Amino acid sequence: MTRMVPKLIKCAVCDQQSEQMVLGSTSSFGAPDLDGRPPSLMRYTISCWVQRCPSCGYCAPQIAEPGVKTTEVMADAFYQTQLHNHSFPVLANSFLCAALIQQQQGQLADAGWSCVHAAWVCDDERNTIAAQHCRHKAIALLQQATDAGQQTHADPEHGALLLTDVLRRSGEFAAAAAYCQHMLAQPLSPLVQRMLAAQQALITRRDTSGYTIEEAIGETTYHTLLEQQKKEGERDA
Ligand SMILES: [Zn+2]
């Protein structure tokens, strides 16, 4: 059951109130995508993951919270152009604008994720060119985040899976293959090893489509390895 409820929220930049949809509760069924995109029903709550103030155009996960240098970024012509860029779906523009603010604040991993979310919105609208643009931005930010010592995922293995998938789906096959090979030389869990091997096969086929983990490695393999991982986790706990 998913509940998205309207809520009046006061913008921290212009003090105007607006109705924003917030997530009440949700659940997920099935396997996530290779880049970690959640399955339904969580998948379809993406419009709640970023808020846009209709008065001043402030975009953030929570517009009630002010941020450092927010007004400075918003005054920039680049922000204003992105906010109303007709080459992207409106929701993708909100994520990309939120990313510009997060980037300026040094939250590089968050900014990278906002660009990944923007790409998912473009995928849903079948806007391949816009999705590719969002993924290229995400790659730069995720790599900058890693260089700055910021974690791109609570689980570093999943951070690596995310970057591999973003590289592949943006058509950066050589970089995706090299990164995949580098990661496979590290000690990894069997599930992650299998997912990276599946990525290698997709990279070889120059396939830029999105896949769920079940589609990529097979439903039975996924559930067996997941179960094995859970048992090992319980044993180590
Ligand atoms: Zn505002």
Side-chain angles (χ1 to χ4, degrees), residues 9-235:
I9 291 177
K10 189 172 161 186
C11 172
V13 172
C14 71
D15 282 341
Q16 293 294 310
Q17 281 202 331
S18 63
E19 195 177 271
Q20 303 287 335
M21 294 303 283
V22 296
L23 195 58
S25 64
T26 190
S27 46
S28 292
F29 302 100
D33 290 2
L34 282 172
D35 61 2
R37 185 174 186 185
S40 62
L41 306 160
M42 182 66 180
R43 190 181 190 91
Y44 302 111
T45 64
I46 193 164
S47 59
C48 293
W49 305 355
V50 67
Q51 297 173 349
R52 174 199 284 238
C53 171
S55 304
C56 70
Y58 175 33
C59 297
Q62 310 281 345
I63 55 167
E65 289 172 15
V68 192
K69 296 182 187 165
T70 300
T71 45
E72 207 177 288
V73 181
M74 287 173 62
D76 197 286
F78 195 70
Y79 183 96
Q80 293 301 323
T81 306
Q82 185 67 67
L83 193 63
H84 304 290
N85 192 329
H86 295 300
S87 303
F88 297 86
V90 173
L91 183 57
N93 280 330
S94 300
F95 278 119
L96 292 170
C97 282
L100 289 173
I101 296 172
Q102 289 162 328
Q103 184 180 3
Q104 194 62 36
Q105 292 168 345
Q107 298 167 7
L108 302 169
D110 291 339
W113 269 106
S114 290
C115 294
V116 171
H117 294 159
W120 293 347
V121 174
C122 299
D123 289 342
D124 290 343
E125 304 255 327
R126 300 190 192 288
N127 189 336
T128 318
I129 293 169
Q132 201 166 42
H133 176 89
C134 298
R135 287 195 167 89
H136 277 126
K137 284 187 76 124
I139 292 165
L141 288 161
L142 292 170
Q143 283 174 336
Q144 283 170 31
T146 307
D147 292 345
Q150 293 179 16
Q151 276 201 329
T152 56
H153 199 287
D155 181 339
E157 288 193 346
H158 285 267
L161 288 169
L162 169 71
L163 187 57
T164 309
D165 201 63
V166 179
L167 283 166
R168 177 185 65 82
R169 295 205 59 195
S170 65
E172 299 285 340
F173 297 116
Y179 185 67
C180 226
Q181 205 168 8
H182 162 74
M183 283 316 297
L184 279 165
Q186 323 283 324
L188 299 164
S189 70
L191 177 59
V192 172
Q193 270 178 22
R194 196 63 186 252
M195 283 163 71
L196 286 171
Q199 285 283 8
Q200 280 185 317
L202 293 170
I203 293 163
T204 306
R205 293 208 308 260
R206 300 179 87 76
D207 187 333
T208 56
S209 303
Y211 293 94
T212 67
I213 304 174
E214 282 181 353
E215 287 166 343
I217 68 170
E219 204 179 324
T220 315
T221 309
Y222 173 56
H223 289 282
T224 308
L225 293 174
L226 195 62
E227 201 54 38
Q228 191 182 317
Q229 199 163 292
K230 245 187 247 170
K231 274 187 196 152
E232 277 166 16
E234 280 162 16
R235 209 175 46 218

